[in-house]
Amino acid sequence: SLGYDGRYINLDANGLLESITIDGKTESVQMDCGFYKGAVGNNEVFGVHSNRSSGAYIFRPNGTLNLFAQNPSVTIVQGDVVSEVRYKYSDWISSILRIYRGAEPFHVEHEWLVGPIPIDDQGFGKEVVMRYHVKDLHNNGEFLTDSNGREMLKRRMNYRPTWDVDLDEKISGNYYPVTTRIAIEDGDNIWSVVTDRAQGGSSLRDGTMELMVHRRLTHDDAFGVGEALNETAFGKGLVVRGIHYIVPGSHADARKVVQNKVLHPWYFLSSSENIPFEDWR
Amino acid sequence: RADLIAMREAMGIMQHHDAVTGTEQQHVADDYARVLNIGFHDCDDITSKALSKLMGSAEPVQLTNCMLLNVSSCPVTETNDDFVVTIYNPLSREVRPLVRLPVASTTAQYTAKCPEGKEHPTQVNVLPVEVLKIPGRPGQALGELTFLTGCVPPLGYKSFYISKVSKPKPAKKPRTFAPKEPT
């Protein structure tokens, strides 16, 4: 267990997240990462064939989530201010789980780094997601997202509030924009994941929240951009680094985390070499 | 204010649906980054003056807004043993940030003092280069300084004087699992 003042993240024998304890109450929580293969090829829409690969405008997975094997290399650092668990899943995906002393409201920070996503080896693009699973929470296909950047909107699997829907694409059809927060709830048991930027997200399985953090695709989706979503920097696929904040507790707590983290303060720095503390004061 | 024009123009351009959703072509994305970068730099002067006013300082304070903090790079914190970090809270409510700054050393210890002289707990971790490796970004910092700031008031600021401890106490070594080969 790593943590402070009755709040802990508990790891299994391999160093993977097993549960989170807050003031004596322990909840089983699992964390996965994986990727969807981007669909390539044509699609029939109203009898017309057209290119409909996964691309900038549309998320179209080919198959279900491919999870990374659960044996990343693990390093643990314990300290007085912050304790962290570092996972390296492969050469292009790694993450750090952090718990801070005195973090109010309580949250667990998950910093991830993804990229450059390899696309040459297998010939298809990949869309990487982080998934969080609260094992004993049953949200029965309902979840909440702040898709409009304002209030939380309730979402239901395979459902639209104003018409009868029959989804052909069960994964992407249940993905919604997440501006800063996605949440699942079962009575008073509420868990949220706060993002540091807008992402796509869903709750495709009971008790889970998944968020798409990076995409690299090989084909244009024919919706107008005219190029594949294949960004590069320094001649390699883009590397993306960001943070998810896992917040157990009330919606009010999660909203405070959004205010603290998404609209975070500005840091200004200046040298104080040769300026004694008293002078600076 | 002439020095706000570039940022105003950038914000105007960023209203386009391609900028909001990320459906722009790559060369347009590069241009968005260019325009925003110019906007940020043009705002440096007015930001320093505004903070000086808030601090009641007669002279404009020289402050750097490190644009590469998100990739653990900051010349001020990496090259100086003593530096000042000022945290400005633009919200109308108080916040309690946890500050992480890149530093050059992995073994050094630092003190973080507020103007009242109170020391806030700090910690330096080795920056896990193997975990947070960014290709094509040489010179990433080796260490990472973390400290708790306590409350920063609404529309206000808090400054900390950070200095390297000349004779550090023996520090705890990180507990490390035997690494496995990832598959």
Side-chain angles (χ1 to χ4, degrees), chain A residues 151-163:
Chain A
E151 81 273 32
M152 296 296 278
L153 301 171
K154 188 161 271 188
R155 308 298 191 179
R156 198 188 299 170
M157 285 278 284
N158 305 318
Y159 175 79
R160 298 289 185 272
T162 51
W163 78 97

Side-chain angles (χ1 to χ4, degrees), chain A:
Chain A
S1 293
L2 298 171
Y4 311 94
D5 308 324
R7 295 158 167 194
Y8 301 99
I9 50 174
N10 309 306
L11 311 176
D12 69 12
N14 294 318
L16 301 175
L17 179 64
E18 189 174 64
S19 61
I20 293 177
T21 301
I22 310 155
D23 303 330
K25 189 184 169 200
T26 299
E27 190 90 43
S28 294
V29 182
Q30 202 180 334
M31 201 175 74
D32 298 315
C33 59
F35 65 87
Y36 293 102
K37 292 179 188 175
V40 175
N42 294 335
N43 178 45
E44 187 176 315
V45 181
F46 302 121
V48 178
H49 285 278
S50 55
N51 291 317
R52 284 292 181 266
S53 302
S54 199
Y57 285 89
I58 51 169
F59 162 43
R60 165 164 285 179
N62 180 4
T64 53
L65 187 63
N66 301 277
L67 286 174
F68 280 89
Q70 289 294 288
N71 60 346
S73 65
V74 178
T75 310
I76 292 175
V77 180
Q78 285 177 293
D80 293 333
V81 177
V82 57
S83 292
E84 58 187 44
V85 194
R86 299 163 178 176
Y87 299 106
K88 187 167 169 54
Y89 293 92
S90 75
D91 284 344
W92 57 277
I93 184 159
S94 50
S95 73
I96 302 177
L97 207 57
R98 292 194 183 95
I99 184 164
Y100 290 93
R101 181 188 290 278
E104 286 296 338
F106 174 69
H107 62 271
V108 175
E109 182 179 297
H110 181 214
E111 181 167 16
W112 39 264
L113 185 133
V114 179
I117 297 176
I119 53 170
D120 298 332
D121 52 348
Q122 290 151 317
F124 51 82
K126 299 180 184 73
E127 321 203 24
V128 179
V129 301
M130 298 290 166
R131 190 170 69 176
Y132 305 92
H133 186 192
V134 185
K135 285 186 181 168
D136 297 325
L137 191 152
H138 304 290
N139 56 316
N140 300 314
E142 289 191 344
F143 56 103
L144 299 104
T145 62
D146 63 342
S147 303
N148 61 357
R150 292 178 176 84
E151 81 273 32
M152 296 296 278
L153 301 171
K154 188 161 271 188
R155 308 298 191 179
R156 198 188 299 170
M157 285 278 284
N158 305 318
Y159 175 79
R160 298 289 185 272
T162 51
W163 78 97
D164 290 331
V165 69
D166 182 16
L167 291 174
D168 287 332
E169 302 188 27
K170 303 283 188 201
I171 297 172
S172 48
N174 284 303
Y175 254 69
Y176 288 91
V178 175
T179 306
T180 59
R181 183 155 77 98
I182 183 170
I184 50 176
E185 56 187 12
D186 180 3
D188 292 337
N189 195 8
I190 300 166
W191 287 68
S192 303
V193 177
V194 172
T195 62
D196 63 348
R197 70 200 68 180
Q199 289 164 2
S202 187
S203 173
L204 298 175
R205 288 172 55 191
D206 207 29
T208 66
M209 288 173 277
E210 66 178 61
L211 289 154
M212 185 173 292
V213 296
H214 194 11
R215 317 171 68 204
R216 192 178 184 198
L217 299 160
T218 52
H219 289 70
D220 176 32
D221 61 11
F223 271 100
V225 68
E227 62 184 35
L229 186 63
N230 180 10
E231 295 167 287
T232 56
F234 305 105
K236 295 182 177 179
L238 210 61
V239 179
V240 181
R241 183 170 156 185
I243 299 180
H244 289 157
Y245 303 96
I246 307 163
V247 189
S250 66
H251 289 299
D253 279 354
R255 193 164 55 242
K256 282 181 191 163
V257 172
V258 171
Q259 288 166 357
N260 271 282
K261 302 295 182 182
V262 181
L263 306 168
H264 59 77
W266 305 350
Y267 300 155
F268 297 95
L269 298 136
S270 52
S271 168
S272 58
E273 295 284 346
N274 306 317
I275 305 173
F277 173 72
E278 289 301 325
D279 290 359
W280 167 75
R281 250 181 95 169

